[in-house]
Amino acid sequence: MPITSRILEVATADPDRLALVGSPSGGCASDESADSAEGSRAPRSLTYAQLVRDSATMFAAVDALHRAQTDPPTPAPETHGIPITAVSLTSAFETSRIIAGLAGFRAVSATIDPRWPLDHQVGVITTTGIGLVISDSTRLAEALAAAGWTGTVITATDFQAREAAIDPADTAPPTVREASEPFLMLFSSGTTSNPKAFIKTRQQYRDNVAVSSAHLEPLPGVATLAPGPVSYSLTLYAVVESLATGGSVHVADDFDPFTMGARIADEAITRVVAVPAVVKALAEAARRTPENFHGLDLVVTGGANLPASIRSALADVLPGARLISYYGAAEIGFIGDSRDGDGTWISIYDTIDVEIRDESGARLPDGEIGTVWIRAAACSDGYVTGTTDAQLRRPDGWATVGDQGRIENGLLQLAGRAGDIAITGGHKVSLPEVERAFEEFDRADPRSGPGRLGEVCAIALPDDGLGNIVALVIEPGAQGSGSHARDGDSTAPDKAALLDHARAELAPQFVPRRFYSLDRLPRTVGGKIRRHETVDLVMSGKAQRL
């Protein structure tokens, strides 16, 4: 169902139903100025009726800004000539308000993470022909001007002032748009490589909502908490799907475990959509104040292979709350989910086709690791011209983002991306599978000392005999180890204990042949470990070999 038709329907039938709710503080300061009104002047919440009313003046302000340009940037051809408006703010509420408000008009919207490297931000804006950027970053504005960009940057404060100056009588109301019309420009990356942009049409988003509605329960009237930057596709989609199904979406700039429990209780939130790291923090917060979380019914998290420790931690403290870990790709849409066990085996949704193929495109038999190909109605047509040479979707409708996996008994198990597979002695080894074997490593062996192991990263290192060997790089836990370690020291566990554990949990070809320690594993701005950068640190001698 289209987002605008449901918004208009609810605004008429139940005008006071909450559509969008921000943090109790009303927003947050911008990335550069604590005095910015990026949330200070905006309301904390909008009902469906208010969202419809305000969207008209919002679009009028956006349209006027685009039309005022004497030499506007040319939008990417995939937008069919529709000007692109990007939001790059730290306020989840303000970002969500703008994306939702523009949905009922001839507009293509995009969210750009202000934490991206500056050159990534400038690159996607200039390459895709974004014409208007709502941002409080003077560094971004200066860099765009230096790059010769002819569009407009406006602060959140100034944009809100322009909205307020428009007479509602001079505006047109939002309407349901044509299915084929471009709706959102999204980005598949922005932390480890140049971002790849792609367009979602309104029909593709409607098809995606149909899948998530059937399996992930964004039901009418349900209050969903979606904490985190709206530039994350998971958070952005939670905003869109909640409004497209008549729910209330509660956003937050980040997950504060000290206040979120009270918010869940006070705002009667029953559903949370969040990345795995937030789910882990939620379980820890619920352990401290379980009374605030008793109303929580469903937790939905993205990313395949959810660590079993997160699932068990949530089940221990909130046995009545269900946890669904879904697998999907922003370019393609929802593919399947896991609801029990260690989360490594994914049930594929009945409207989605999945095949495992080798490098030549031939279909592989069950059990063999290869590239995951998907056929789904919600899949984008391809990447935006100029942002990548990669092919997303073939003419026959099958698409891949390069994920690796295997199928057994009709279930899908992911093995990571192409760079997450090591070929050692002729065997394909999934490096994420090696990492999962250490999720429950508790260092019970006396040689390893007290405490728990920190994060780990499995890598492939070149080897003359085997082609590659598997190595494990660990980030030691917080507690000390051994008689000479002080309380709170970060020390590595014993190599023998790690090796014994690996031999007990993994097939012989998966067992790491070397172990290294780093005080801090390299991560993206979103908290994901950078495997390739970890390899570089090891090869340059910056990791300690155990």
Side-chain angles (χ1 to χ4, degrees):
M1 57 193 67
I3 176 175
T4 305
S5 66
R6 179 50 60 94
I7 289 174
L8 294 174
E9 175 187 313
V10 176
T12 300
D14 189 4
D16 294 330
R17 183 186 300 180
L18 286 173
L20 180 63
V21 183
S23 300
S25 61
C28 71
S30 75
D31 52 327
E32 294 195 353
S33 172
D35 296 326
S36 164
E38 182 185 314
S40 61
R41 291 180 56 190
R44 182 189 168 227
S45 64
L46 287 173
T47 65
Y48 274 85
Q50 289 170 333
L51 178 60
V52 171
R53 181 198 66 204
D54 292 355
S55 68
T57 52
M58 178 191 298
F59 175 72
V62 164
D63 188 49
L65 286 164
H66 280 292
R67 292 179 183 276
Q69 296 168 356
T70 57
D71 182 22
T74 301
E78 291 82 359
T79 67
H80 302 171
I82 301 175
I84 309 168
T85 299
V87 186
S88 183
L89 300 171
T90 57
S91 168
F93 180 85
E94 185 69 2
T95 303
S96 301
R97 182 184 79 87
I98 295 170
I99 297 298
L102 295 179
F105 299 89
R106 184 179 181 270
V108 172
S109 303
T111 57
I112 294 177
D113 194 335
R115 300 177 303 171
W116 278 0
L118 185 62
D119 61 333
H120 281 188
Q121 298 181 54
V122 172
V124 298
I125 291 169
T126 56
T127 301
T128 61
I130 291 171
L132 173 64
V133 180
I134 302 172
S135 169
D136 289 335
S137 172
T138 55
R139 290 181 63 239
L140 177 58
E142 291 168 354
L144 286 169
W149 181 68
T150 57
T152 302
V153 177
I154 186 170
T155 67
T157 304
D158 289 344
F159 180 68
Q160 291 168 14
R162 284 179 173 267
E163 291 180 271
I166 292 174
D167 186 346
D170 297 331
T171 65
T175 59
V176 178
R177 311 297 301 177
E178 290 293 328
S180 61
E181 188 175 89
F183 174 35
L184 291 177
M185 176 180 286
L186 305 175
F187 304 96
S188 63
S189 179
T191 52
T192 60
S193 63
N194 290 330
K196 298 190 291 289
F198 56 96
I199 293 290
K200 284 289 186 185
T201 67
R202 295 175 184 275
Q203 185 60 50
Q204 287 162 353
Y205 245 96
R206 293 168 191 173
D207 290 331
N208 215 22
V209 170
V211 175
S212 69
S213 297
H215 300 280
L216 304 179
E217 304 179 30
L219 304 175
V222 166
T224 294
L225 173 64
V230 183
S231 54
Y232 289 0
S233 59
L234 176 145
T235 311
L236 175 61
Y237 185 75
V239 171
V240 173
E241 75 166 357
S242 293
L243 297 176
T245 54
S248 301
V249 59
H250 300 239
V251 297
D253 304 331
D254 52 28
F255 186 89
D256 179 0
F258 298 102
T259 61
M260 205 58 68
R263 187 174 177 192
I264 288 173
D266 293 344
E267 298 174 16
I269 291 167
T270 60
R271 180 175 178 263
V272 171
V273 178
V275 297
V278 168
V279 177
K280 180 180 180 181
L282 186 150
E284 294 170 353
R287 192 176 301 279
R288 291 193 296 269
T289 57
E291 64 277 5
N292 287 334
F293 296 84
H294 287 164
L296 194 58
D297 173 60
L298 177 63
V299 177
V300 178
T301 187
N305 299 331
L306 180 73
S309 58
I310 294 180
R311 188 180 295 274
S312 59
L314 189 68
D316 287 345
V317 70
L318 294 175
R322 297 170 293 137
L323 176 61
I324 300 176
S325 173
Y326 73 77
Y327 165 52
E331 298 98 315
I332 296 173
F334 293 103
I335 298 165
D337 67 48
S338 175
R339 305 185 180 219
D340 53 28
D342 62 4
T344 59
W345 290 102
I346 299 162
S347 297
I348 302 167
Y349 295 144
D350 53 8
T351 56
I352 309 298
D353 296 322
V354 177
E355 290 184 356
I356 307 298
R357 302 177 183 177
D358 65 15
E359 292 83 356
S360 69
R363 186 170 180 175
L364 292 171
D366 279 11
E368 290 197 25
I369 292 179
T371 301
V372 181
W373 284 82
I374 301 118
R375 186 165 57 190
C379 183
S380 294
D381 295 328
Y383 293 112
V384 170
T385 304
T387 63
T388 181
D389 294 329
Q391 181 184 26
L392 170 64
R393 185 176 183 175
R394 299 195 323 186
D396 61 4
W398 287 90
T400 185
V401 293
D403 285 341
Q404 304 291 295
R406 61 168 72 90
I407 291 179
E408 290 185 11
N409 300 318
L411 300 176
L412 172 66
Q413 185 182 57
L414 292 183
R417 291 289 175 98
D420 296 331
I421 303 296
I423 308 298
T424 176
H427 297 284
K428 285 185 178 181
V429 173
S430 165
L431 297 176
E433 194 168 331
V434 175
E435 294 162 356
R436 288 197 298 271
F438 287 87
E439 287 175 3
E440 298 300 321
F441 179 68
D442 59 7
R443 294 190 285 173
D445 191 301
R447 296 168 294 177
S448 64
R452 294 187 62 84
L453 181 67
E455 298 286 343
V456 301
C457 178
I459 60 174
L461 297 177
D463 180 80
D464 292 338
L466 298 174
N468 291 285
I469 60 171
V470 177
L472 189 74
V473 186
I474 69 169
E475 186 178 82
Q479 286 186 291
S481 174
S483 59
H484 299 292
R486 299 187 304 271
D487 184 35
D489 281 349
S490 177
T491 54
D494 186 83
K495 174 185 174 181
L498 291 166
L499 186 58
D500 288 346
H501 181 84
R503 287 170 173 165
E505 298 292 329
L506 294 166
Q509 66 269 26
F510 282 65
V511 174
R513 290 174 176 260
R514 295 181 193 170
F515 294 87
Y516 295 87
S517 176
L518 279 170
D519 289 339
R520 176 73 174 169
L521 288 165
R523 287 171 168 80
T524 68
V525 294
K528 294 183 179 180
I529 294 172
R530 287 187 168 120
R531 195 181 308 280
H532 292 301
E533 190 170 322
T534 302
V535 172
D536 292 341
L537 291 174
V538 170
M539 295 296 290
S540 64
K542 295 180 181 178
Q544 177 186 355
R545 185 168 178 180
L546 302 182

